[in-house]
Amino acid sequence: MCEELGDDEYMQAYVEEMGATSLCSASDGAGCSDKEVEFASKWKQKSAEEVKAQLERLEKMKGGTMAPELKKWLSQRLALLKQLAPKDEL
């Protein structure tokens, strides 16, 4: 492992943040935090229209100023919603 990224946890956080992605699987919860599992289970029950509307709302928030932990949570929610959204909606 490279010196700049240090341990595995820091490297994973960096990759997720810079790639605007998540290693969390919305379908089975693999690689997810408790918070992500709760969010995914809530949104799995929503209609495609509701998921799309939430995805659009969060996309608009991406450009705003926010604390690093809130920005990370925003990216995590976007990644989960993209997994839940019907593929023809994206």
Side-chain angles (χ1 to χ4, degrees):
M1 173 132 10
C2 68
E3 301 271 331
E4 292 85 18
L5 294 178
D7 64 10
D8 289 342
E9 186 177 312
Y10 182 74
M11 182 174 66
Q12 180 177 337
Y14 177 80
V15 169
E16 289 177 358
E17 181 181 343
M18 291 296 131
T21 189
S22 176
L23 299 177
C24 173
S25 172
S27 60
D28 63 5
C32 302
S33 68
D34 291 341
K35 190 174 183 180
E36 289 170 311
V37 169
E38 184 179 331
F39 180 82
S41 66
K42 172 185 169 184
W43 282 93
K44 279 181 191 177
Q45 299 172 17
K46 304 282 186 174
S47 71
E49 293 80 26
E50 289 174 303
V51 171
K52 183 181 176 188
Q54 180 72 349
L55 194 52
E56 289 172 359
R57 185 182 81 79
L58 294 178
E59 285 286 350
K60 290 177 186 174
M61 292 174 60
K62 273 189 354 186
T65 304
M66 62 187 81
E69 62 273 1
L70 294 177
K71 186 174 185 174
K72 180 181 178 186
W73 177 230
L74 175 66
S75 294
Q76 290 169 323
R77 289 182 291 166
L78 281 167
L80 287 167
L81 288 171
K82 286 177 183 177
Q83 292 177 47
L84 296 173
K87 299 304 175 208
D88 61 334
E89 296 288 330
L90 297 177

